[in-house]
Amino acid sequence: RSVLLSPSDLSWISKIQVNQPAVLRRAEQIQARRVVKKEWQAAWLLKAVTFIDLTTLSGDDTSSNVQRLCYKAKYPIREDLLKALNVHDKGLTTAAVCVYPARVCDAVKALKAAGSTIPVASVATGFPAGQTHLKTRLEEIRLAVEDGATEIDVVINRTLVLTGQWEALYDEIRQFRKTCGEAHLKTILATGELGSLTNVYKASMIAMMAGSDFIKTSTGKETVNATFPVAIVMLRAIRDFFWKTGNKIGFKPAGGIRSAKDSLAWLSLIKEELGDEWLTPELFRIGASTLLSDIERQVSNNPLSLAQIGKCVFEKEMNNPYWAMRTRDKNSSDLPHRTQSSVFFQANLHLK
């Protein structure tokens, strides 16, 4: 779990500057690579399934479609495909289901009836705009937790970022943290509405300092959602925070991740920027509603031998030959060296 940090002085935030050209070059480098060797793509796609927060956030959501969502979360890949790949007995599920607060009870009931322990996540705090009174937003968290949500995806007040009110943002997220209680707090930054990559980095740091368990790119409702440049900035913030505090904070991209190829690119990015330690559902999620269908389609078109699948799909250690990825160092599970952040961020962190 994350730890609250009380900043005695946030003046250092104003000194941070992100080197945007360097970030964009880094994003281009990663996206230009062939992400995963073809013979191992099916295994990686099955692994990607375990990171998905399977989501429905529509105005016409009903108990029936939430029930179908929960069934798909428990049985994400067709049984005949899993048997063909000899992984039908591995308990493959998505990481969580994500719904509106009013649908939490439906999701909890459906998963309980299915005998599943998949977590239920709820968006909250005036999702997606966050433009409601703070008292109302806190009550929304409380009700979602009361109904059985064990993960809360909150949205921040973007005005606080755009106007540089960093202490107010810290206080707001800290109240979200307190209201969540034992539920995990995922803080949505809505990066497409923050104005600059520098603001993305600053908001990421404040969210982590205030006790977020995850930082998340987007609601999926903005014009611009999860992008590689934004992700790189957030991942470097996570890395810097870890170096300074020893606390590992999770990352969740969301919005526009629809294809199997997209999911492989995101897994590759996490491996490159944070290392294998972050490639677990406890530290990495993908917010998606339609991604699963394409993964299932691609797996059916790209089967592996039973021996290959058996050795690689559910390995705890990801740095063996079966997880061959074109990365900086295939044999290392350590975080990239500390000095690599200096190209991007021209400030020292002063967390107390």
Side-chain angles (χ1 to χ4, degrees), residues 45-57:
L45 289 173
L46 290 185
K47 193 67 179 178
V49 169
T50 68
F51 299 129
I52 293 175
D53 280 1
L54 193 59
T55 302
T56 182
L57 295 170

Side-chain angles (χ1 to χ4, degrees), residues 77-89 306:
I77 303 295
R78 296 197 326 258
E79 184 72 9
D80 62 310
L81 285 177
L82 296 180
K83 285 183 177 179
L85 297 170
N86 199 29
V87 292
H88 58 285
D89 58 346
L306 302 188

Side-chain angles (χ1 to χ4, degrees), residues 133-151:
H133 292 294
L134 180 59
K135 183 178 179 179
T136 303
R137 299 165 77 199
L138 294 174
E139 182 68 3
E140 197 171 33
I141 295 174
R142 189 188 67 78
L143 291 172
V145 172
E146 187 178 275
D147 286 343
T150 56
E151 301 179 2

Side-chain angles (χ1 to χ4, degrees), residues 145-332:
V145 172
E146 187 178 275
D147 286 343
T150 56
E151 301 179 2
I152 304 294
D153 290 34
V154 302
V155 290
I156 65 169
N157 183 341
R158 277 75 107 187
T159 300
L160 300 179
V161 176
L162 295 171
T163 56
Q165 299 181 64
W166 303 112
E167 290 188 13
L169 178 62
Y170 174 88
D171 290 340
E172 177 181 275
I173 298 173
R174 188 168 181 174
Q175 290 186 67
F176 295 162
R177 167 75 276 164
K178 182 178 179 181
T179 308
C180 280
E182 292 300 310
H184 280 226
L185 173 64
K186 303 198 204 91
T187 300
I188 306 170
L189 303 183
T191 56
E193 298 177 348
L194 296 188
S196 69
L197 292 179
T198 295
N199 277 347
V200 170
Y201 184 86
K202 292 177 179 179
S204 297
M205 292 302 303
I206 294 295
M208 292 185 287
M209 291 170 65
S212 302
D213 296 295
F214 271 73
I215 52 175
K216 177 178 171 182
T217 61
S218 322
T219 66
K221 309 293 185 181
E222 293 92 55
T223 304
V224 179
N225 293 289
T227 67
F228 264 36
V230 158
I232 288 169
V233 171
M234 293 175 69
L235 293 172
R236 294 296 173 100
I238 289 172
R239 184 197 302 180
D240 290 344
F241 189 80
F242 173 71
W243 280 332
K244 192 69 178 180
T245 68
N247 296 324
K248 294 180 179 178
I249 306 301
F251 174 70
K252 178 179 174 180
I257 305 174
R258 298 185 179 90
S259 71
K261 184 179 179 181
D262 289 341
S263 70
L264 294 178
W266 282 102
L267 266 66
S268 177
L269 179 64
I270 298 302
K271 185 176 175 70
E272 286 262 348
E273 289 294 317
L274 294 178
D276 299 329
E277 296 173 59
W278 259 261
L279 281 172
T280 71
E282 289 73 32
L283 291 170
F284 177 57
R285 300 287 182 86
I286 299 173
S289 54
T290 60
L291 171 62
L292 199 52
S293 298
D294 192 54
I295 288 180
E296 188 173 54
R297 183 162 52 250
Q298 296 303 321
V299 168
S300 66
N301 293 336
N302 187 20
L304 291 177
S305 72
L306 302 188
Q308 288 172 326
I309 276 286
K311 285 188 176 183
C312 64
V313 175
F314 290 95
E315 289 284 349
K316 292 182 179 179
E317 296 297 328
M318 303 281 284
N319 59 344
N320 62 68
Y322 290 98
W323 291 101
M325 239 188 191
R326 296 179 181 274
T327 61
R328 182 184 299 107
D329 183 358
K330 294 177 187 176
N331 298 316
S332 173

